[in-house]
Amino acid sequence: MREHVRKVGGNCRICGAAIDYTIPYFKAGTREPNPEAFVADHIVPLEKGGRHDISNAQAAHWRCNSTKRARIHAPIVRRSGSLD
């Protein structure tokens, strides 16, 4: 699923900003996720009955997906780029 979403590409479907698909998931030398890294977000979270397949996947930044958590809709994104 992740590779399919990567091939489709595009901006983050949560905040709308461009995603740099070359950024590694973990920060260099750590096991800490990079906030700008690409993740495949479940549009309808698994906890809410969403399916784990490509029809329920979209590209997102790690930070945006982390803020969305298990909600169907992400918090409002301000023009400054910060998430509420």
Side-chain angles (χ1 to χ4, degrees), residues 41-74:
D41 170 50
H42 290 99
I43 299 165
V44 177
L46 300 176
E47 293 179 13
K48 305 283 189 213
R51 297 177 58 172
H52 184 67
D53 62 27
I54 59 175
S55 69
N56 188 38
Q58 63 185 359
H61 295 109
W62 181 90
R63 67 177 160 77
C64 299
N65 191 42
S66 178
T67 300
K68 179 184 171 204
R69 290 179 263 163
R71 292 178 267 200
I72 293 175
H73 299 288

